[in-house]
Amino acid sequence: MSRGRLITLEGGDGAGKTTQAGWIRDLIRAQGVLLVETREPGGTPLAETIREWVLSPTAEEPDGLAELLLVFAARRQHWVRRIEPALESGIWVLCDRFIDSTYAYQGGGRGLPLAWIATLEHWVLGPGGRPDLTLYFDTPVDQALERVRQRGHLNRMEREGPDWHEQVRSAYRSRWEADPERFIRIEGGRPPDEVRAILEAALTHRFATWQSQASIRPEEPSG
Ligand code: TYD
């Protein structure tokens, strides 16, 4: 049985990924695969508790490194209990935020050294943790923050100012520029129906490529 695929949704707060998530899930399922939908931080009961600690505004602000370690503690639990077992049994995983969020928010936003994040990534995920595909919603910060303000109930990241969110955006763009094959980048500031049309075409093309690669893969030698 072939390993499942890990597809991640990424982008700044208010970038528009949640609006599109429903049909993306349906399009993946239409490939005839089993799919688990999940999110980070979170995805298991313990990791969801850690999510609360990371995102809820509280009297005691976590120190930046403490925040990074909490995010990775949640990720480790999610990875070993949920994502990795699914992938190994051939199930696909659609994860709302994953490792690129940490490079963007704790690296870009909080200014923590990227080398620390890379070390933790290696410990926590090992070599199999690179997503097969990342849909990156790249949205101008002023537009994205306006959407966030309209939603209300701001989490600890969403309460940060525009300059902080520009740093998050620029860290995301560096991730995309360093590994463009893995990403489909969408201009999230466009109207939602345009975003959908562009993304649907790109995804359909990517799935067709994967299918043709799978069908030309040489047979395992028997016996
Ligand atoms: P988000 O996914 O936008 O959920 P909601 O739509 O419920 O607000 O919020 C998750 C927040 O977590 C977002 O502000 C980014 C932050 N985050 C990090 O700071 N680091 C991480 O590694 C991850 C996965 C998320």
Side-chain angles (χ1 to χ4, degrees):
M1 179 202 305
S2 57
R3 187 176 162 92
R5 304 261 188 189
L6 173 60
I7 301 176
T8 59
L9 303 177
E10 293 282 2
D13 294 290
K17 62 189 168 52
T18 312
T19 312
Q20 308 287 342
W23 72 261
I24 294 172
R25 170 195 58 218
D26 295 343
L27 190 73
I28 298 171
R29 290 214 168 107
Q31 306 305 301
V33 295
L34 290 176
L35 179 72
V36 164
E37 259 190 295
T38 186
R39 69 172 182 182
E40 289 209 344
T44 77
L46 177 57
E48 289 287 332
T49 301
I50 298 174
R51 177 188 177 96
E52 281 294 309
W53 296 344
V54 172
L55 295 180
S56 300
T58 49
E60 185 185 347
E61 284 282 306
D63 151 80
L65 177 56
E67 181 180 285
L68 177 69
L69 294 171
L70 286 171
V71 164
F72 267 109
R75 176 162 301 132
R76 174 67 189 174
Q77 194 68 8
H78 190 206
W79 180 253
V80 295
R81 292 279 190 270
R82 197 138 178 240
I83 300 183
E84 174 80 329
L87 297 175
E88 277 180 358
S89 55
I91 298 170
W92 291 31
V93 176
L94 177 63
C95 193
D96 188 350
R97 299 192 177 282
F98 194 59
I99 187 71
D100 297 299
S101 282
T102 311
Y103 281 94
Y105 284 82
Q106 281 66 48
R110 302 280 184 234
L112 294 171
L114 300 185
W116 293 1
I117 302 176
T119 299
L120 287 163
E121 177 183 8
H122 179 70
W123 284 351
V124 164
L125 300 176
R130 181 178 179 268
D132 295 283
L133 177 63
T134 297
L135 310 180
Y136 165 41
F137 293 76
D138 186 15
T139 307
V141 166
D142 48 355
Q143 197 176 346
L145 289 185
E146 185 50 39
R147 288 179 185 162
V148 168
R149 268 192 290 273
Q150 282 171 11
R151 284 203 305 247
H153 303 296
L154 307 192
N155 72 34
R156 283 185 50 251
M157 313 300 161
E158 291 163 345
R159 287 171 182 223
E160 298 287 348
D163 292 350
W164 193 90
H165 285 278
E166 289 292 356
Q167 287 167 14
V168 170
R169 187 180 186 202
S170 121
Y172 264 130
R173 292 175 75 108
S174 302
R175 298 284 295 166
W176 161 56
E177 282 159 10
D179 193 5
E181 279 294 294
R182 171 164 68 88
F183 285 85
I184 294 175
R185 174 183 163 269
I186 310 106
E187 287 175 28
R190 290 168 178 260
D193 54 341
E194 271 182 43
V195 171
R196 177 175 176 158
I198 295 165
L199 191 49
E200 203 167 337
L203 266 174
T204 305
H205 181 262
R206 182 68 63 117
F207 291 155
T209 308
W210 283 351
Q211 221 158 31
S212 65
Q213 284 166 352
S215 60
I216 57 174
R217 192 175 293 156
E219 290 290 313
E220 296 280 321
S222 56

